[in-house]
Amino acid sequence: MRHAAHNVFHTMTATHLGRRSRIWSAVFRAGYAWLRVVDPLLRWTWRQGGMGITAELGVRGRRSGRRRTVLAGLLFTDGKHFVGHPNGPAQWTRNLAATREISVRLPGQAPFVARVTRLAVGDPQRSAAIDAAGRQQPWPANWLYTAAWRHIEEVGDYFRLEVG
């Protein structure tokens, strides 16, 4: 279920069905470029006690086989966990799609391994995960997910985790 601000931003940021918004793509690219710069500080902060829903995700490289890690939001809705990237496939989501297995580590907890299923555009679980990102991400990411909801629905790359 989308929160109240969604309807206002949804109307303001509408894109054509099936099309990537160039503006939101640029906003996300700039944001992720900034996150790469501050990544050492974010990882240090995360190790000291966490940052909201942020988890360290480990994924094997689809060609190299080397384990790579990324900090990303571990979303929880309808009794299930989800991960994804709002601006379309990223290297780590491409690796995840190829290996279909992820390790998840939260500060102070033992890591766990999960199998993943990529969610197709139009899948209600995918939409629920995107809606959850707008509610569960800390500010200002929650505002960004809400404002760019249509773009994320069109191009976001999301996966459901299956633990056990």
Side-chain angles (χ1 to χ4, degrees), residues 32-102:
Y32 281 103
W34 177 79
L35 289 174
R36 280 190 297 278
V37 170
V38 298
D39 186 68
L41 176 62
L42 292 175
R43 286 179 187 267
W44 180 85
T45 302
W46 179 82
R47 282 191 299 273
Q48 299 312 304
M51 296 182 320
I53 65 169
T54 303
E56 182 182 67
L57 308 178
V59 183
R60 295 255 173 236
R62 60 191 179 281
R63 288 179 269 208
S64 70
R66 289 180 38 207
R67 184 176 181 271
R68 312 233 182 230
T69 63
V70 62
L71 293 180
L74 180 61
L75 305 166
F76 186 76
T77 188
D78 299 328
K80 296 176 178 49
H81 284 97
F82 301 87
V83 295
H85 194 278
N87 205 31
Q91 291 303 328
W92 72 270
T93 64
R94 288 181 183 102
N95 289 340
L96 189 53
T99 63
R100 297 183 39 213
E101 187 173 276
I102 190 169

Side-chain angles (χ1 to χ4, degrees), residues 84-159:
H85 194 278
N87 205 31
Q91 291 303 328
W92 72 270
T93 64
R94 288 181 183 102
N95 289 340
L96 189 53
T99 63
R100 297 183 39 213
E101 187 173 276
I102 190 169
S103 68
V104 179
R105 189 164 70 108
L106 296 165
Q109 296 183 20
F112 65 89
V113 175
R115 300 284 298 160
V116 299
T117 301
R118 185 181 243 163
L119 301 173
V121 172
D123 185 318
Q125 287 188 342
R126 183 177 173 277
S127 294
I130 293 168
D131 287 344
R135 291 187 313 276
Q136 296 173 11
Q137 291 281 0
W139 185 89
N142 62 343
W143 177 85
L144 183 61
Y145 272 77
T146 300
W149 186 86
R150 174 70 62 130
H151 170 77
I152 298 167
E153 269 287 328
E154 297 293 332
V155 302
D157 199 13
Y158 284 83
F159 299 81

Side-chain angles (χ1 to χ4, degrees), residues 5-18:
H6 167 77
N7 291 331
V8 172
F9 289 120
H10 180 76
T11 302
M12 291 170 42
T13 62
T15 60
H16 299 293
L17 187 61

